[in-house]
Amino acid sequence: MLLTTSSRVIATMALTRVAPLALPAATRVRPLCMLLPPHLEDMKEELTSGEAQLFDVREPGEAEAGMLRDATLVPLSALQDGRLSASQMESAGIDKTKLTYVHCAAGIRVHYAAPILEAIGFERVVPLQEGYASLVKFGFEEK
């Protein structure tokens, strides 16, 4: 019987009972489903430390189905038609000087919301390409 190189390696490992490589806990590799892209690792740390804030620019009906624990609902439609002014945001405790991450359902509306937020005085706005469902899958907690 002909064995390919990979088949030989697998057969050899099975016959010799190769023990799994023991690595210190700090160097163990997490499953792919748990790995966060570096920008989301940074965001998680900045939200936890209070350096950043997270805006959800989906509409209220969408947000009723679920929101991230750290997110504040700032609907894109309210930004576009002026129903949500900078002074209203400030009175609600929103800080325009904080790093502001913006997410929506699929990473599209954030590109409309970001320039509006910058125009009303937000200094550092980061539109996220990941939508709500992706952020939940990456382990961001829901309310």
Side-chain angles (χ1 to χ4, degrees):
M1 157 169 57
L2 278 176
L3 291 176
T4 64
T5 302
S6 60
S7 298
R8 280 188 225 133
V9 170
I10 292 170
T12 303
M13 288 174 64
L15 293 174
T16 59
R17 296 183 186 186
V18 175
L21 182 61
L23 296 172
T27 60
R28 287 195 187 121
V29 178
R30 294 185 293 174
L32 284 178
C33 63
M34 294 175 62
L35 290 177
L36 278 177
H39 71 283
L40 293 181
E41 285 276 3
D42 293 343
M43 181 179 87
K44 191 172 248 187
E45 290 172 14
E46 292 159 347
L47 289 171
T48 300
S49 71
E51 295 173 59
Q53 57 197 350
L54 176 62
F55 289 172
D56 181 342
V57 296
R58 297 176 302 152
E59 295 304 313
E62 294 172 280
E64 286 176 12
M67 277 188 65
L68 298 178
R69 180 179 48 98
D70 294 323
T72 300
L73 184 63
V74 180
L76 176 60
S77 62
L79 290 171
Q80 288 174 323
D81 65 17
R83 284 183 285 137
L84 198 52
S85 68
S87 61
Q88 288 172 314
M89 289 183 173
E90 286 173 15
S91 66
I94 294 173
D95 185 349
K96 294 191 300 186
T97 64
K98 275 189 180 180
L99 176 58
T100 303
Y101 289 98
V102 183
H103 86 84
C104 60
I108 296 168
R109 286 175 276 185
V110 294
H111 297 289
Y112 295 100
I116 297 170
L117 290 167
E118 290 168 345
I120 61 173
F122 283 82
E123 296 175 7
R124 299 176 294 157
V125 179
V126 179
L128 295 171
Q129 65 185 11
E130 295 82 8
Y132 171 76
S134 295
L135 293 169
V136 170
K137 284 181 185 175
F138 276 124
F140 287 87
E141 294 180 35
E142 296 178 277
K143 286 185 181 178

